[in-house]
Amino acid sequence: MALRKILNDNHPVLRSPAQEVKKINSGVLRLLDDMIETMRDADGVGLAANQVGVPKRLLVASAGEDEVYELINPYCENEEGEEVSIEGCLSVPGYYGEVPRSGKIVVNALNREGEKIRLEVEGLQARILQHEMDHLEGILFTDKAVRMVDPEELKSEDSKSEDSKSEENN
Ligand code: NI
């Protein structure tokens, strides 16, 4: 495994829709492994392939505890509810904003074995997956933020709710 360089938001690959993965070969599996290592190294909770310069529809995301989602060609089948919470992004370092997201989603994708999987997720996990699927469309959280949040404000919120992790970087 190897760390990959995370690109910043001025890079054109972050602003273009990523392409479908046609074949899950050793290069794709190595990329998934590297993306997980890169996400963990950066203390992030999600990473899309175009953030490391590969314009393919792949994402990794924290699924709580030590579990990780590895999704190939993911798409949302159903969305319910709306929740507004604070997000950051490894490609937009130092910025945070309040972003409305669906509270509960159903995601279809392939796993690394090429098997179809269907996930029903809500709350933070749903938010992370929506953020990462947006990356695959060339969309950043700053496009959808209803309000940008001063990092100082974030510190005071931290002390209020220690278990709130939605301000983590995706
Ligand atoms: Ni991001």
Side-chain angles (χ1 to χ4, degrees), residues 51 89-90 131-132 135 170:
Q51 288 185 274
C89 179
L90 294 173
H131 176 115
E132 302 312 327
H135 272 303
N170 294 215

Side-chain angles (χ1 to χ4, degrees), residues 36-155:
I36 291 169
E37 194 180 356
T38 304
M39 173 181 77
R40 287 183 167 150
D41 180 71
D43 266 333
V45 291
L47 193 66
N50 49 350
Q51 288 185 274
V52 294
V54 182
K56 289 193 171 156
R57 303 187 80 82
L58 289 170
L59 67 85
V60 298
S62 164
E65 303 288 320
D66 283 337
E67 301 281 304
V68 176
Y69 294 123
E70 301 174 305
L71 305 184
I72 300 168
N73 300 334
Y75 66 94
C76 229
E77 179 192 277
N78 192 35
E79 308 188 21
E80 277 176 47
E82 189 187 88
E83 292 172 5
V84 178
S85 191
I86 297 171
E87 291 183 20
C89 179
L90 294 173
S91 293
V92 193
Y95 289 85
Y96 298 90
E98 289 181 343
V99 184
R101 299 281 187 194
S102 300
K104 193 173 173 186
I105 59 171
V106 176
V107 177
N108 289 286
L110 298 176
N111 65 14
R112 61 162 55 218
E113 278 79 38
E115 297 158 347
K116 283 185 185 173
I117 52 170
R118 188 171 183 275
L119 303 168
E120 285 185 40
V121 287
E122 54 190 349
L124 177 61
Q125 258 79 45
R127 174 168 296 275
I128 297 169
L129 292 182
Q130 288 169 88
H131 176 115
E132 302 312 327
M133 285 189 283
D134 270 356
H135 272 303
L136 300 179
E137 301 302 332
I139 297 166
L140 298 173
F141 85 95
T142 46
D143 301 339
K144 291 189 167 176
V146 290
R147 188 175 75 92
M148 295 307 286
V149 176
D150 190 311
E152 289 297 317
E153 196 180 326
L154 209 60
K155 278 182 203 158

